Amino acid sequence: QSRDIISAPDITSIYDVPGNFEKDHLGRRILDKFGLKPRSRLGPSWRGMVRRMHAARVPVRVGIVGKYSGTGDFTLSDSYLSVIESIKHAAWASNRKPQIEWLNAQEYEKDPKAVAQLEKFDAIIVPGGFRSRGVEGKIAAIRHCRTAGIPCLGLCYGMQLGCQILGCKLTQGESREYGRAKLSVLEGRDLFAGVPKTTTVWMSHGD
């Protein structure tokens, strides 16, 4: 039937899709086909989020120090899709326009001075990641954020590395795997109060 034909124009954001389909009553048509009663339409909370997304003008620059985003000349942003979308929603809730840039942790292993580029960002996120590749680069990034006063959020393994830098130092670790490591707790760090001065721990992500 002609009334079942809907428009699907190009849009600037995937979050515009529900509202766009709602204009053609797509949800109601689908429910009619299945003989189901119409339900409430797109709620005000969703529409409000979309309005804030389009109204945001003041940028917030966020750098993500990872190792899964780059392969050759390509950037695989989907590797950290949940992190990306979380940044977007947090920025929109603060009426900010997110500007996300990918940073390869391994570059900081090749050139330690390159961490200075982190200072151009409003915040840095160090997400999770399996195996030892790029770990030293992530540690360098976290350490620089601390000394330079750059807001830094560690997620999963990134948080573990941040805790190491904050409260202890790596005194012995397996060169091939980051599965088992010996940590020496630094003096005067309340974060690890009561922990033996030297303890062997298992890191959750091995090589």
Side-chain angles (χ1 to χ4, degrees):
Q1 298 178 355
S2 59
R3 61 176 180 171
D4 292 334
I5 299 175
I6 61 170
S7 62
D10 292 340
I11 54 175
T12 58
S13 170
I14 192 173
Y15 295 104
D16 287 317
V17 171
N20 183 64
F21 284 159
E22 187 69 16
K23 294 178 182 178
D24 288 335
H25 308 290
L26 175 62
R28 184 183 302 175
R29 296 297 305 137
I30 293 176
L31 291 174
D32 287 343
K33 294 295 183 181
F34 285 97
L36 300 175
K37 295 180 179 180
R39 301 181 181 182
S40 58
R41 303 183 67 181
L42 201 62
S45 60
W46 183 278
R47 296 186 185 280
M49 179 269 291
V50 173
R51 283 195 298 269
R52 288 192 299 273
M53 174 186 71
H54 289 297
R57 293 291 183 271
V58 180
V60 56
R61 300 192 65 186
V62 179
I64 300 180
V65 181
K67 61 180 183 179
Y68 296 137
S69 59
T71 174
D73 295 328
F74 298 96
T75 299
L76 304 176
S77 57
D78 283 0
S79 300
Y80 296 107
L81 186 59
S82 61
V83 177
I84 297 171
E85 298 307 311
S86 296
I87 294 172
K88 291 179 181 179
H89 282 274
W92 297 332
S94 301
N95 298 313
R96 294 297 186 95
K97 184 176 182 179
Q99 294 181 348
I100 302 171
E101 185 170 332
W102 299 101
L103 307 170
N104 192 331
Q106 292 176 276
E107 294 300 320
Y108 304 138
E109 297 177 347
K110 300 175 183 177
D111 181 11
K113 294 182 179 180
V115 293
Q117 69 173 289
L118 301 177
E119 298 174 18
K120 68 181 182 180
F121 295 97
D122 297 306
I124 296 295
I125 293 179
V126 182
F130 294 89
R131 304 185 179 183
S132 60
R133 179 170 60 88
V135 167
E136 295 302 327
K138 289 186 176 185
I139 291 175
I142 296 170
R143 183 175 287 114
H144 186 76
C145 286
R146 289 199 65 219
T147 57
I150 306 169
C152 180
L153 173 64
L155 302 175
C156 194
Y157 198 16
M159 175 60 76
Q160 294 180 32
L161 296 175
C163 288
Q164 289 181 40
I165 294 170
L166 179 64
C168 50
K169 61 181 178 181
L170 188 66
T171 60
Q172 180 182 341
E174 299 178 9
S175 59
R176 183 174 177 274
E177 297 187 3
Y178 230 71
R180 186 176 182 177
K182 183 168 288 186
L183 303 177
S184 178
V185 179
L186 299 178
E187 297 290 341
R189 301 300 175 94
D190 293 336
L191 180 66
F192 294 96
V195 176
K197 294 302 179 183
T198 301
T199 183
T200 300
V201 298
W202 283 97
M203 305 302 289
S204 65
H205 298 309
D207 190 0

